[in-house]
Amino acid sequence: VQLQASGGGLVQAGGSLRLSCAASGRTISRYVMGWFRQAPGKERDFVAAIIWSGGSTIYTDAVKGRFTISRDNAKNTVYLQMNSLKPEDTAVYYCAAGEVYTRNYKIYNYWGQGTQVTVSS
């Protein structure tokens, strides 16, 4: 599976962005999809994940109520709607595909190239 993340950019605090992760090479319908982020000098952190059917989602506490992960298996795409953005959300955001519904980035098998999100105060 090849993953291509897009939609990042520069936004003011309180603003919104919608990230997309387009997959090719294989249908994503059989995979758990996740979003992770990595700030400079820090480890890659879990943001959100969505199960195969889209019927279950998990979020890190820092984004609950502000971010929404969704998927459209027909379009082979996963989304991350980010609202009420804060400067601490600034990071490179990565999408990933895996076979286990987990927060652990080491378990995911396929990764996109990342898209930069910068939130100014």
Side-chain angles (χ1 to χ4, degrees):
V1 178
Q2 292 79 47
L3 303 175
Q4 179 77 34
S6 62
L10 173 63
V11 64
Q12 288 188 330
S16 298
L17 283 173
R18 188 195 197 201
L19 305 184
S20 298
C21 176
S24 61
R26 191 176 294 182
T27 177
I28 64 168
S29 62
R30 60 171 289 183
Y31 292 105
V32 171
M33 300 298 296
W35 285 98
F36 295 79
R37 63 187 180 186
Q38 189 166 17
K42 295 188 177 181
E43 287 199 352
R44 191 165 297 189
D45 289 333
F46 170 79
V47 176
I50 186 166
I51 204 167
W52 307 272
S53 65
S56 177
T57 56
I58 49 176
Y59 298 90
T60 189
D61 286 347
V63 308
K64 281 182 181 177
R66 300 189 297 123
F67 291 12
T68 302
I69 187 171
S70 62
R71 65 192 297 161
D72 186 338
N73 288 339
K75 294 183 178 180
N76 234 23
T77 303
V78 177
Y79 306 97
L80 185 67
Q81 178 67 44
M82 306 187 296
N83 299 329
S84 302
L85 282 161
K86 304 176 180 180
E88 51 263 44
D89 294 318
T90 295
V92 177
Y93 282 71
Y94 298 89
C95 60
E99 298 179 352
V100 179
Y101 192 36
T102 177
R103 300 168 185 259
N104 187 346
Y105 75 89
K106 297 179 181 179
I107 306 299
Y108 285 78
N109 305 99
Y110 306 98
W111 290 86
Q113 86 291 357
T115 184
Q116 176 70 47
V117 172
T118 303
V119 184
S120 63
S121 57

